[in-house]
Every structure is written in structure tokens, then in C-alpha cells.
Amino acid sequence: MQLYLPTGNHYIALPTIRQEDGAVECLNVVLEKLDGLLELEGPRGGALLSCNTIAGQRGQWAWDSDEQWIPTMHHRKNRSVQGRILAPPFERFVAYQAPAQAEGEAVTFRFDLARLFQTINVRHELPQWSARIAAFEWSYTPGVVVELWAGTLMLCLSFRIEDGMVTRCLHDGQVTDIESGSPDVNVRGPFTLELTTHGEPNLLIGVGLSRVGARSADLEASRLGLDEWLRRTRQWLNDRALPETGYEPQLAALATRNGHFARFYAMSHALDTSRVVSMTSRSHRYYVSSAYWDRDSLLWLYPFLLRNDADHAEALLRYAFGPQLLHAGIHSRQIGGQVLEYGFELDELMAPLLAMGQWRQLHPERCLWREEPIRAGILDLLNRLRRWRVADVALYRTELMPTDDLIVGGRDVLTYNNALVLAGLRLLAPILDEISPLDAAWAREEAARIPAAIKAHLVRDGMYQWATDLEGNFEMYDEAAGSLLLLSYYGLCSPDDPAYRRTVQHLYSDAYPYWMPGAFSELGNRHTTDAPHPWILSACNSVLSGVRREEGLSFLRRARMDNGIACESVNAETGLPETGMHFATCAGFVAHAIATGLGASEKRPGAHNQSSFNGFPRAKDSDGSVATT
């Protein structure tokens, strides 16, 4: 199995850095004009960017992730021979620092561009593209700029080694030296750049939408020097790390690693507009990358950001109530908000409302709900919610299940979905007191009715059922993307509720066909049709359930997943990935579940201790005890 060490920042992603030889297989940026990713790749099975001195000693390099994010290598026989790939936050450059060689020994970087992709959910290879390659000198710093064209100018890349380099272009069997004053080289389709230096082998790559933009991006590296950029990057990452002191170091490191991956791969700044966008993953290793789901971004990613990085959480919330608001609740969308896949999902409609309610819990001083566009958005979503209410009972319907799968047998009233409605209305009531008192009164009255309606219509044989058609037909089932295990987490019931306990006991028994026993025992579901492998989200649900915390943490502690990064499902015996590699929003949920399970607090100034994250409120009996259904 090929092991990768992804890295990147707010503008640039390098999802597939091979651990065996340090080769970079892919680089991508987000372009709003493409409504998705522009991905650059090398030849099939080959590398986009490689270094001859590292590739020549394949297998001799040991890799680590500095601050759980910066790929760092050292030679197994001599630890002083080191290198790294650095992408400082918010910058438009990356630095590939290869290990230094003996004085005078040449090091050659090879940039081998063979394919361009536009990625919106799936990858679309661009059939015709060209490049213009030119030497460029600015402020006495020579470099090379590559313009990539596909009908229009798509992207510019700048290449520079501070100690100087010799550049050759290989295309259609021809070799052309790229020198200052020489004519531009125009090529159609694949080409290779060889960049050779006899000095420090630190290759700087800048990205932009013009030659000047790309060059200014890589020149920014020289303004402070790479040592200072490394220090600043480490500090920025460390400020957002889960502290290991006082907590289990292995799990804290796993949460930090997944938190960084989620931060940079489930969110991005578009290169052409600088606006923040969100998606399930920026990595093509995930099978539906570069598309937006309310559920993924706001139920899985957002809770981690909310407690760890308020500015990122606010940016995501504004995006949800901005470009994505018009079609909130519709299956999936493109990053600009356009409908990608149709079908209404109640959990996705509730996701922005839950997120706003959680925001008020942790950041009441930042009153986003008072801003008129957001205020109007909240009320609009509530009106849409009412349209899905059952006429004579306080329950709500859906068209698709939380995994986006079709409803079975007309059973379109789901217990989990209605628990989300309950949680959302409870959280929103104080906000509605300020912006719409009539809606506040309705929300409180409806929230008071829902638990009794669930008890009357969705509890059977002493257990919470997955779904009903309200005509006496039920289904006992569970999905990791919206699990019955989370009923206590969302405040429908107490973890001690007998019906909840029996439900969990049933799901984790031989009586339930999607319980996957083994060394990595967890719940699967029919969404992965070939084989219902245990899902990582299920382990997170166990942690958050209140009754399977230790089992969930044990699973996450031991599972190798995708080189330590969340995937969709793993093998029940090995813990290795089976489906959905580089699942970025799930990585955010992994970080949130571990932080919650450990009761950890964040070190970042202004970050909130877990004890101040009150979760989802439950109704109170007159004596103050938690009411159950």
C-alpha cells in the first residue's frame, strides 16, 4: 500500500506526497471560475515533482510530520541529512527543501506535467491545454514562470532556487534551455522542466493568476527567509494543536493531525477570488472530492473548528449563510452554491441552524445572527423546515437518508433527523428571542412536542427505531452519517434512557446484520454495498454517545486508517482503509470526537475549554434532572 504524507495551506494542496521517495504526484488550487479544483498531475503512475537525490535513494528516508503537518525527512544512516516540504498558512508558495549534498554536487528537481483536471465531485481531464514557459528576472532574482492555458489562462507557476539554477524544458523529444532573454517556449500538452542547482537545493514554487502574481508569491519566501517561515508555521500549527500534556499523547497527536488535515482540505481560499469555500475533501483520493454537503461541513467539520479556531468557524458559517444558503438542504452542491445532486435531506437543512446555535453558545459576544442577511437566512430556513412537518404530529419528513441513500419502503420519518430538529429548535430559541419573538414562541412549543411524538411513533419493542412511515411500518437500521448512537449527544435523551441503552445493545449484537465484529469492531451500513466495513464515523459516534466512549477511543487509537488520516471505512481485522481515503470533513469529526472524549482544552488564546462547550441542551424536569423519553 502506497503511503502518502499530504500537506498544504489555505491556497495550495499537495495531497499525494509519496513517503517512499518524496515525490509529489499532484498539486491543486481552488478556482471559483471552475467551481472546483484545478489539479496538476504527472504521468500515470509517475510524479509531478521529484528530486533526483531523494529518488536515487528510495527507501533510505524516514519521514515524520513536524507539528503533525509539515512532511519532514531524514536519512536513515545520517539524521543530520534532512529535508522538508513547507507550505506556510495563508501564503501562495510552497518550499521543497531537499537534503543538502556534498559541496558542488548537483541536485535536479524534475517537474513533469502530464495532465490537468477540473474536479467537481469527480475528475474531468482537460483534453486540450498548452503552456508558455519563460525566464523571468525581477529584483535581480532569476526564475522561470509557466503559464497554463485551456481556452483561457488558468494558472501561473513560478519556480526559483535562491542559490541559482539551470533550467531545461523537454517536450516532444526536444530540449530547450530556459535562459534570461531567450524567447518564450510554447508547448501543447505534456512537458518536463529540469531545474538543476549546485547550491542549497531549496525549490520555491509560487502560484498566481499572472506572471507577476506567481513570482511575487515565491519572492515572499525570501522576505523573511525559510527558517523564519518554518518557525511561524510551526507556531501557527502548534497554537491549534490539541495539548498532549495531561492527555493521552497518541490520541492527542491523532486529533491534531486530523484537525490540520480537515482545516486545509475541507476548507480553502479560492485562488481567483480569495473567498473561503468548503468541500468534503480537496484530495482526489476521496471519491467525491471538491463538492459541498451541509452535513459534512457543518455537522462534522464545524464543531471541531468552533472549539479550536473561531475565525475559521466564523468563515465557514458565513459561507453556509452566504453562497450555500439558497439551496441548503439539497443533497449536494458545487462550491458556488449551485445544485449538484438533487433530493431533500432534513439533516442537511438543519445543519446551518444547528451551527448558528452552537456559535451563540461558545461565542455569544460575536452576534452574527443580528446581521440582516444572516437573520433573514435563519428565518428562511425555519420556514423551509415547516414545509416538511407532518400535518398532525410534531415530526418531520425527508427525501433522502443521511448517507444520501434513498428512503426504503416509504419510511421517511427518521428518529435521528427529528433529534436534529429538536436540538436545533432548542439552540435557536434564544437567538429567535432577539430577531423574531413569534418564531421563538413557536420553536419552544414545537421543541416541547417533539420528544413525545418520537416516543409515540418511533419507539417500538423498547427501542428507538431508525424510521417509520407513520402507518405502522418501522425499520431498525443505522447509518454512521446520522446514527441512533447520537440521540443522547443531540439531547433527545439521557445516556441512561432504557430505550436508548437497548437500542445501542441491539446494534452492537449479532442480531444486527451491519455490526462488524473483529479486531476493529464497529457498525457498517449498506452505503458501502460491496462489503459493509466498519466506518470511522461510527467510532466517532461511539465516543460521543456517552455509553461507548472507551470502545470508540480504542478503535481510533489502534486503527491505522489512511496513514493516520480519516477514511470512510476500514478493514475489520487490520484497521487499514477500505473506502473513502482522505475524507477531510470526517477528519474534523475525528478531531472533535477525540477532543470531546478526552475532555481536552485547547491552548490557543481565547479558545474554549471543553467544559464550556455545553453540547446540545436537554429538557429539564422540575427537579433539574434530565428528562428522558
Side-chain angles (χ1 to χ4, degrees):
M1 175 182 172
Q2 182 68 261
L3 295 179
Y4 294 106
L5 288 170
T7 196
N9 59 24
H10 298 82
Y11 285 99
I12 305 169
L14 304 172
T16 45
I17 302 170
R18 294 199 300 241
Q19 193 164 305
E20 63 178 5
D21 60 3
V24 177
E25 292 182 353
C26 178
L27 176 152
N28 75 54
V29 297
V30 173
L31 294 176
E32 284 205 87
K33 67 181 179 182
L34 292 182
D35 213 15
L37 301 179
L38 177 67
E39 296 191 275
L40 286 60
E41 274 205 356
R44 296 182 188 277
L48 173 70
L49 177 65
S50 60
C51 178
N52 69 324
T53 55
I54 302 173
Q57 299 185 62
R58 186 187 303 264
Q60 295 301 307
W61 305 98
W63 286 82
D64 193 10
S65 288
D66 190 356
E67 296 295 340
Q68 299 299 326
W69 189 241
I70 306 167
T72 303
M73 71 187 90
H74 68 264
H75 200 279
R76 296 184 187 277
K77 295 181 180 179
N78 183 357
R79 290 189 64 90
S80 65
V81 180
Q82 297 180 343
R84 69 178 55 84
I85 300 174
L86 179 66
F90 297 105
E91 297 299 322
R92 291 185 293 111
F93 76 85
V94 296
Y96 194 129
Q97 298 177 268
Q101 301 301 302
E103 185 174 353
E105 184 176 347
V107 175
T108 297
F109 292 94
R110 181 181 174 97
F111 181 78
D112 196 355
L113 181 58
R115 296 177 293 167
L116 293 181
F117 296 89
Q118 178 197 28
T119 301
I120 305 174
N121 190 273
V122 296
R123 306 179 93 192
H124 310 91
E125 186 170 356
L126 301 182
Q128 294 181 339
W129 57 272
S130 61
R132 181 180 298 158
I133 306 164
F136 194 97
E137 189 163 327
W138 188 10
S139 301
Y140 308 104
T141 57
V144 172
V145 172
V146 176
E147 299 175 356
L148 298 178
W149 294 77
T152 186
L153 181 61
M154 305 297 290
L155 181 68
C156 289
L157 298 156
S158 172
F159 299 87
R160 183 168 62 89
I161 296 175
E162 291 180 311
D163 283 356
M165 65 184 185
V166 175
T167 305
R168 301 192 311 162
C169 175
L170 289 68
H171 173 68
D172 279 348
Q174 299 181 355
V175 179
T176 305
D177 292 330
I178 310 297
E179 300 174 329
S180 180
S182 62
D184 294 355
V185 176
N186 294 287
V187 301
R188 289 193 174 275
F191 68 90
T192 299
L193 291 182
E194 290 184 348
L195 309 121
T196 300
T197 182
H198 291 270
E200 286 292 319
N202 298 330
L203 176 64
L204 302 171
I205 303 175
V207 300
L209 299 178
S210 67
R211 294 187 181 192
V212 171
R215 279 311 316 272
S216 64
D218 88 55
L219 285 170
E220 177 73 353
S222 300
R223 182 174 63 85
L224 297 175
L226 290 181
D227 287 346
E228 177 61 15
W229 282 117
L230 176 62
R231 187 195 69 79
R232 291 189 179 194
T233 303
R234 283 172 169 165
Q235 185 63 56
W236 193 93
L237 295 168
N238 184 264
D239 285 345
R240 290 155 180 81
L242 204 70
E244 296 183 8
T245 304
Y247 304 102
E248 183 180 332
Q250 181 182 353
L251 280 173
L254 180 66
T256 296
R257 180 168 175 76
N258 279 273
H260 291 332
F261 184 77
R263 191 189 324 276
F264 293 122
Y265 277 71
M267 292 182 71
S268 175
H269 287 222
L271 184 65
D272 51 348
T273 64
S274 293
R275 283 194 288 259
V276 171
V277 299
S278 180
M279 62 203 73
T280 293
S281 184
R282 283 179 74 184
S283 172
H284 63 272
R285 300 191 76 217
Y286 191 69
Y287 57 91
V288 286
S289 62
S290 188
Y292 176 83
W293 281 259
D294 303 287
R295 170 200 60 235
D296 296 34
S297 290
L298 297 174
L299 298 184
W300 301 338
L301 168 67
Y302 176 81
F304 167 71
L305 293 178
L306 183 66
R307 63 194 295 176
N308 179 268
D309 192 336
D311 290 339
H312 267 73
E314 179 178 343
L316 178 54
L317 199 55
R318 289 186 180 280
Y319 174 67
F321 278 88
Q324 293 295 346
L325 181 66
L326 179 61
H327 298 297
I330 301 300
H331 182 176
S332 68
R333 274 106 65 199
Q334 297 170 204
I335 61 173
Q338 306 91 325
V339 172
L340 182 63
E341 299 168 282
Y342 289 91
F344 173 73
E345 299 187 37
L346 180 57
D347 59 325
E348 299 217 65
L349 182 70
M350 290 307 303
L353 295 173
L354 283 160
M356 184 59 69
Q358 290 172 283
W359 177 265
R360 181 192 170 278
Q361 276 193 308
L362 262 66
H363 302 289
E365 74 288 353
R366 295 164 73 168
C367 307
L368 303 185
W369 56 89
R370 294 177 183 170
E371 299 177 14
E372 183 52 35
I374 294 179
R375 174 188 175 278
I378 293 170
L379 299 180
D380 178 40
L381 291 174
L382 281 178
N383 285 332
R384 291 188 229 174
L385 172 65
R386 291 183 179 102
R387 298 172 198 160
W388 293 92
R389 190 184 191 274
V390 177
D392 55 353
V393 64
L395 293 172
Y396 294 77
R397 299 185 184 276
T398 188
E399 288 182 343
L400 299 175
M401 296 194 294
T403 51
D404 313 318
D405 291 346
L406 295 174
I407 292 294
V408 176
R411 295 182 287 267
D412 58 358
V413 177
L414 275 59
T415 305
Y416 167 80
N417 280 356
N418 282 275
L420 291 187
V421 175
L422 174 65
L425 294 179
R426 286 173 174 170
L427 284 172
L428 283 173
I431 292 175
L432 295 172
D433 285 336
E434 294 187 42
I435 66 174
S436 179
L438 287 177
D439 285 300
W442 170 81
R444 286 190 170 89
E445 291 171 2
E446 190 75 348
R449 297 186 188 105
I450 290 174
I454 290 176
K455 180 178 180 180
H457 296 280
L458 282 157
V459 175
R460 185 186 187 193
D461 299 329
M463 296 185 293
Y464 289 99
Q465 302 295 301
W466 171 253
T468 181
D469 59 4
L470 295 179
E471 296 179 3
N473 298 303
F474 298 87
E475 181 182 17
M476 174 49 78
Y477 178 59
D478 198 68
E479 288 185 341
S483 176
L484 295 173
L485 266 72
L486 297 180
L487 298 184
S488 63
Y489 171 72
Y490 283 115
L492 172 64
C493 62
S494 162
D496 296 325
D497 175 11
Y500 176 70
R501 288 274 186 169
R502 281 193 288 270
T503 303
V504 175
Q505 184 179 13
H506 173 80
L507 293 173
Y508 287 87
S509 73
D510 291 335
Y512 182 61
Y514 294 100
W515 176 56
M516 300 292 109
F520 295 88
S521 176
E522 256 302 344
L523 299 182
N525 56 77
R526 56 180 174 248
H527 186 70
T528 46
T529 54
D530 292 338
H533 305 290
W535 275 45
I536 297 299
L537 286 170
S538 290
C540 296
N541 297 338
S542 283
V543 175
L544 297 172
S545 69
V547 296
R548 285 184 48 83
R549 171 183 171 274
E550 291 303 325
E551 292 90 336
L553 289 176
S554 174
F555 183 106
L556 295 173
R557 182 186 297 114
R558 295 178 297 112
R560 291 175 61 185
M561 296 188 285
D562 189 1
N563 207 13
I565 291 174
C567 54
E568 183 180 64
S569 69
V570 299
N571 185 279
E573 295 301 334
T574 66
L576 292 172
E578 288 284 357
T579 63
M581 274 64 83
H582 281 184
F583 192 172
T585 49
C586 177
F589 205 51
V590 167
H592 172 61
I594 291 174
T596 302
L598 296 180
S601 62
E602 285 71 27
K603 294 185 294 183
R604 187 169 186 243
H608 289 256
N609 189 287
Q610 169 61 14
S611 62
S612 63
F613 180 72
N614 298 320
F616 300 91
R618 302 185 181 96
K620 300 285 185 178
D621 286 336
S622 58
D623 64 357
S625 62
V626 175
T628 70
T629 57

